[in-house]
Amino acid sequence: MAVQLEFLKSILYFSDLGLAELESIRKLVFEKTADRAEVVLLEGESAANLYFVASGAVKVFKTSAEGKEQILDIVRPGESFNDVPIFDGGPNPASARTMGPVLLYGIKKNDMEAILRDHPQIALNVIKVLAKRVRHLVSLVEDLSFRHVISRVAKILFEHIGGEMGRGPRLTQQEMAAMAGTAREVVGRSLKALEEEGAIKLDRHRIIITDKEALQEIMEVTS
Amino acid sequence: MAEMPIIDTRKCDGCGLCVSVCHCNALEVVNNIITIIETVECDWCTDCEAVCPTGAISCPFEIIIQEL
């Protein structure tokens, strides 16, 4: 399947370019397909390619020494990943895994440098993409003052218990994130941490509070 | 009847991203509209909610205390 010019035009990097310029870039773009749950980038490895998601979604994440995962971003069609090491020459700062079957458009590091030299007007859009990423990561750093978020999530769970009197309000992770003033990704990790501490059990669409006292103790922790 | 994710059809633009990430095939595009297929295999991974660019899918949790 040929790389679509229309799709290239929809990518912020290339949105200001004309058809002739897009055509010259298209020659440097290669396709890569991957199935569900394939690791397409590994943290710490040298970075060879910049990727754009053409279809599907990719999860960008860091893994701790204990194997805990923190999602940094979910990359959707039209968005890019692995930009930073392509431009600073360092290793991949995070890993990336497909969330389903994906089609990626890749550009080799050297080719991307040539594209920037040949089409310097792209630079402003690259800066916009990187600035957006910095803003997102700064916000995540703020959220990851972690114990504090866990205690806020614990409090939200406690305040929304449904019981014999009827069902409490059902909450999505997005709603919990909005209530806790944090990112959805951080709520997901907080729930897993609460489960590891034995305070709750995740049972499909139910969050079962298995140790009310433990949950209360976590609620009272502030940092 | 198994609880399933909820789709707000007013917000859904039929992009199908949720279908591509659903590992239990509980989502399908029918006439450009995302349709839920009830299945007990849905393990509430919430990936469909996470990827939805328009916020049309929700996977709400019920919070209960374990009966002793």
Side-chain angles (χ1 to χ4, degrees):
Chain A
M1 198 170 73
V3 173
Q4 300 294 315
L5 281 187
E6 254 179 46
F7 179 79
L8 284 185
K9 180 83 179 161
S10 74
I11 295 172
L12 179 55
Y13 268 42
F14 308 127
S15 59
D16 294 337
L17 298 181
L19 282 181
E21 292 158 313
L22 287 171
E23 188 58 55
S24 70
I25 289 171
R26 173 158 75 171
K27 291 172 189 156
L28 302 173
V29 178
F30 63 90
E31 288 187 353
K32 178 183 169 79
T33 54
D35 284 331
R36 178 185 313 285
E38 269 189 37
V39 174
V40 287
L41 284 180
L42 207 54
E43 181 182 346
E45 288 194 342
S46 64
N49 309 309
L50 170 67
Y51 288 110
F52 300 95
V53 176
S55 67
V58 173
K59 193 184 279 189
V60 177
F61 63 98
K62 299 276 287 185
T63 312
S64 74
E66 297 81 35
K68 284 185 184 166
E69 204 174 88
Q70 174 63 54
I71 300 172
L72 301 181
D73 208 359
I74 290 177
V75 191
R76 299 177 175 82
E79 296 172 344
S80 55
F81 62 99
N82 216 29
D83 320 58
V84 171
I86 291 304
F87 297 122
D88 76 0
N92 300 332
S95 300
R97 187 169 59 229
T98 59
M99 295 177 74
V102 297
L103 172 63
L104 304 175
Y105 287 167
I107 298 178
K108 288 179 187 158
K109 183 170 180 280
N110 291 345
D111 288 340
M112 193 61 217
E113 285 167 4
I115 289 170
L116 274 175
R117 272 198 308 273
D118 295 344
H119 310 284
Q121 68 270 42
I122 289 175
L124 188 59
N125 286 340
V126 173
I127 291 169
K128 282 181 188 167
V129 169
L130 294 176
K132 190 179 165 198
R133 194 139 313 150
V134 169
R135 188 174 288 281
H136 174 73
L137 291 173
V138 164
S139 161
L140 203 57
V141 166
E142 187 185 356
D143 289 341
L144 290 169
S145 51
F146 195 51
R147 288 300 308 186
H148 192 52
V149 175
I150 284 187
S151 65
R152 276 183 276 164
V153 171
K155 188 162 184 276
I156 289 164
L157 295 181
F158 204 79
E159 287 171 348
H160 292 85
I161 297 170
E164 289 167 10
M165 303 299 286
R167 290 168 75 166
R170 299 177 68 197
L171 296 178
T172 65
Q173 290 191 36
Q174 188 60 54
E175 287 163 340
M176 290 182 223
M179 287 177 192
T182 187
R184 188 188 186 283
E185 296 91 325
V186 181
V187 168
R189 189 170 150 180
S190 298
L191 291 174
K192 278 186 190 146
L194 286 170
E195 190 172 33
E196 281 166 13
E197 296 199 21
I200 65 168
K201 187 173 161 227
L202 294 167
D203 178 22
R204 203 167 175 269
H205 66 287
R206 288 195 180 91
I207 296 172
I208 303 168
I209 297 171
T210 48
D211 189 338
K212 201 172 160 188
E213 282 73 33
L215 194 68
Q216 274 174 317
E217 268 175 39
I218 293 165
M219 263 169 61
E220 283 151 18
V221 173
T222 53
S223 61
Chain B
M1 204 171 96
E3 286 278 347
M4 295 300 292
I6 300 159
I7 297 181
D8 184 339
T9 50
R10 290 167 304 173
K11 289 185 186 170
C12 175
D13 64 5
C15 75
L17 202 51
C18 55
V19 178
S20 75
V21 303
C22 178
H23 62 88
C24 62
N25 303 315
L27 298 160
E28 213 175 67
V29 187
V30 179
N31 298 327
N32 279 335
I33 295 170
I34 304 297
T35 309
I36 299 265
I37 299 154
E38 194 185 317
T39 169
V40 288
E41 285 176 39
C42 169
D43 60 2
W44 224 255
C45 69
T46 76
D47 279 355
C48 53
E49 179 188 271
V51 298
C52 179
T54 62
I57 300 194
S58 54
C59 303
F61 287 91
E62 189 180 356
I63 302 154
I64 56 173
I65 291 198
Q66 180 167 272
E67 308 243 345
L68 294 173

